[in-house]
Amino acid sequence: MITKKCLGCGIELQCEDKNKEGFVPEEKLWTQENLLCQRCYKIKNYGQNLTNNFSSEDYRKEVLQSVKKSDIILPIFDIIDFEGSFTDEVLDYLRDYNSIVLINKIDLLPDFIHPTEISNWVKARLAEEGIVPDDIAFVSAKNKYGVNGIIRKINNIFKNKKVRATILGVSNVGKSSIINLLLKDDRITTSKYSGTTLKSINNKVPDTQITIVDTPGLIPVGRVSDLISVESGLKLVPAGEISRKTFKLEENQVFMFDVFCRFKILEANSGYKTIFSAYSSKNVKFHVTHQERVSDLLKGDFFQILSKNEKERYFENKFVTKVIEVKENEELVIAGLGWINVKRGTLKVEIVYPEAVKVVVREAIFKSKKN
Ligand SMILES: Nc1nc2c(ncn2[C@@H]2O[C@H](COP(=O)(O)OP(=O)(O)OP(=O)(O)O)[C@@H](O)[C@H]2O)c(=O)[nH]1
Ligand SMILES: [Mg+2]
């Protein structure tokens, strides 16, 4: 029997079960080509969030199968949620295959930052993991920036010969959006919700010898957004340029990253106060207070991303308290939420956050220019 696949998500089409992935009405299945499954149709036309029955293990297997057949892989990271997308699973692939690393969503960076500034930072982060990619490309699917450069870089390596390149990464980093730009056709379904692409999708890039393969997103762990509802999680994804606010705090003041995490300043530097900037989606409220006020603020309606019920559920997570020191030109990152960039002095804090969330100190993506 010939199997047809959905153009938008790669799933095998079927006409037996309306409630299963890949459904199309029988008359369409046999008479039409280039079909979209019912799920893709609803996502594309009505922006619906439709769940599916695939597990992270299913996605993992599917990605592995495609990677095995490829000549080069294109792992993709989200510059705004770098730690959330820089997972061990993706790094393992990078160690084993030729690669061009794609850094997407650079449109969300503040205006004053140029991609060349962050290029060395990305190289250093990869080098820390023992990874040296063949090349790195900074792109924005939203602004259509840097996409042709991907083709150029592949052709440089393979001298315009036939090549199969597989894009991979965690869900929602923009894999399908980038491929649509390469194909100059919005054929693959994209959406703001995770888990849009279900199976690998092969397409030939027009006027080249390149077959580009889209894969389903790997499911990351350790992001604040994974602990809350999908709709609230979307509010943590910046819709435009990331918001930045600068602070100079006293010892014992508490900085609240909305209700999601908070830290108390333990030691102010003698002589001058530490200066830091907080980066996050514009919906996230930064607030400075004192310890006595924290509990009321968490319970009340000052912070509004989470509803009262959702706040209660969020606080059922196990929280940890840790002392962390962040030096000048380093950043304290809370995966899936944002980061704190220390511009002057050392920030010694006692931070409270859900144990399941990845919190790391890293070298700053962009350094202060005072030196
Ligand atoms: N700001 C911004 N948003 C982007 C960019 N690229 C993709 N997005 C958005 O990110 C969301 C996810 O895009 P997709 O292309 O569906 O992501 P994916 O990696 O294919 O996701 P899965 O198929 O679920 O793994 C969509 O809301 C896109 O509009 C970009 O360069 N900048
Ligand atoms: Mg996709």
Side-chain angles (χ1 to χ4, degrees):
M1 199 178 79
I2 310 160
T3 52
K4 288 187 181 176
K5 289 183 178 171
C6 169
L7 214 63
C9 68
I11 191 84
E12 284 183 2
L13 293 169
Q14 52 90 15
C15 52
E16 283 90 41
D17 190 345
K18 252 189 165 162
N19 300 316
K20 265 177 78 179
E21 292 80 19
F23 179 79
V24 277
E26 190 167 3
E27 63 280 10
K28 279 195 174 175
L29 183 58
W30 304 122
T31 56
Q32 294 183 18
E33 295 303 313
N34 299 335
L35 284 166
L36 276 188
C37 70
Q38 191 182 55
R39 176 176 170 275
C40 279
Y41 185 85
K42 286 186 181 168
I43 297 175
K44 279 197 172 186
N45 292 294
Y46 310 116
Q48 287 186 6
N49 175 28
L50 298 170
T51 50
N52 63 63
N53 295 314
F54 287 76
S55 66
S56 33
E57 195 48 40
D58 294 329
Y59 291 145
R60 197 172 288 147
K61 279 189 195 148
E62 185 69 15
V63 174
L64 179 65
Q65 289 304 323
S66 287
V67 167
K68 275 187 188 161
K69 289 185 233 154
S70 42
D71 303 300
I72 189 161
I73 57 168
L74 311 178
I76 165 166
F77 301 114
D78 177 340
I79 192 64
I80 294 300
D81 186 18
F82 194 83
E83 307 309 320
S85 53
F86 199 67
T87 64
D88 287 346
E89 208 170 350
V90 179
L91 295 179
D92 283 344
Y93 280 122
L94 267 160
R95 291 194 184 90
D96 293 345
Y97 290 86
N98 280 4
S99 62
I100 297 171
V101 166
L102 309 183
I103 309 291
N104 191 30
K105 305 200 185 178
I106 60 161
D107 56 284
L108 298 173
L109 286 173
D111 257 358
F112 61 87
I113 295 152
H114 193 268
T116 48
E117 270 189 80
I118 35 181
S119 174
N120 288 337
W121 180 87
V122 173
K123 279 184 198 148
R125 280 307 301 273
L126 290 165
E128 270 173 38
E129 302 290 337
I131 294 163
V132 184
D134 293 86
D135 214 331
I136 301 178
F138 289 88
V139 291
S140 160
K142 187 169 177 194
N143 288 355
K144 305 187 173 155
Y145 174 91
V147 180
N148 292 333
I150 302 173
I151 301 296
R152 243 188 344 264
K153 286 174 196 291
I154 296 176
N155 281 336
N156 272 345
I157 298 172
F158 292 90
K159 311 288 174 230
N160 296 315
K161 292 209 182 79
K162 231 174 147 179
V163 46
R164 192 179 176 87
T166 296
I167 197 158
L168 71 117
V170 303
S171 59
N172 256 3
V173 283
K175 299 179 291 300
S176 305
S177 303
I178 286 180
I179 294 190
N180 280 343
L181 288 175
L182 294 175
L183 302 176
K184 299 189 175 65
D185 179 359
D186 279 339
R187 59 168 54 204
I188 302 183
T189 309
T190 63
S191 85
K192 60 185 178 180
Y193 300 108
S194 292
T196 305
T197 308
L198 298 180
K199 292 275 183 174
S200 299
I201 311 174
N202 305 344
N203 278 292
K204 181 98 190 308
V205 180
D207 308 319
T208 71
Q209 297 264 63
I210 302 168
T211 298
I212 187 97
V213 183
D214 194 2
T215 57
L218 298 161
I219 309 288
V221 287
R223 302 178 303 181
V224 167
S225 39
D226 300 327
L227 301 181
I228 57 182
S229 71
V230 173
E231 291 303 329
S232 300
L234 286 177
K235 296 190 184 137
L236 304 187
V237 179
E241 186 182 306
I242 192 161
S243 130
R244 173 179 57 130
K245 275 199 186 128
T246 299
F247 298 86
K248 203 161 141 187
L249 302 191
E250 311 268 347
E251 199 166 317
N252 284 326
Q253 278 187 307
V254 174
F255 177 87
M256 300 183 77
F257 227 126
D258 217 284
V259 294
F260 303 108
C261 89
R262 61 186 181 274
F263 56 78
K264 186 168 81 182
I265 307 289
L266 287 184
E267 271 170 39
N269 286 280
S270 55
Y272 60 85
K273 284 180 209 145
T274 305
I275 302 177
F276 65 86
S277 299
Y279 290 81
S280 198
S281 143
K282 288 196 166 67
N283 298 316
V284 173
K285 226 183 223 177
F286 306 135
H287 186 65
V288 176
T289 187
H290 278 100
Q291 193 63 45
E292 316 77 78
R293 290 276 302 129
V294 169
S295 158
D296 283 348
L297 284 164
L298 291 177
K299 277 188 229 139
D301 55 11
F302 179 73
F303 295 113
Q304 298 200 324
I305 292 187
L306 301 187
S307 66
K308 193 166 181 294
N309 285 343
E310 243 202 299
K311 278 181 200 164
E312 280 168 18
R313 278 202 301 280
Y314 184 73
F315 295 126
E316 281 166 14
N317 286 293
K318 184 172 178 220
F319 279 72
V320 288
T321 305
K322 250 194 200 161
V323 173
I324 294 185
E325 218 175 73
V326 195
K327 300 197 185 77
E328 193 162 295
N329 281 326
E330 283 184 345
E331 282 163 356
L332 172 64
V333 187
I334 302 104
L337 178 65
W339 69 88
I340 300 286
N341 170 293
V342 177
K343 295 165 87 79
R344 190 184 78 183
T346 297
L347 191 66
K348 189 167 177 191
V349 297
E350 186 183 76
I351 180 168
V352 183
Y353 62 96
E355 192 177 33
V357 171
K358 182 171 167 188
V359 171
V360 293
V361 176
R362 70 181 181 196
E363 198 191 319
I365 295 193
F366 25 95
K367 308 257 175 9
S368 66
K369 298 236 165 54
K370 67 173 183 132
N371 295 326

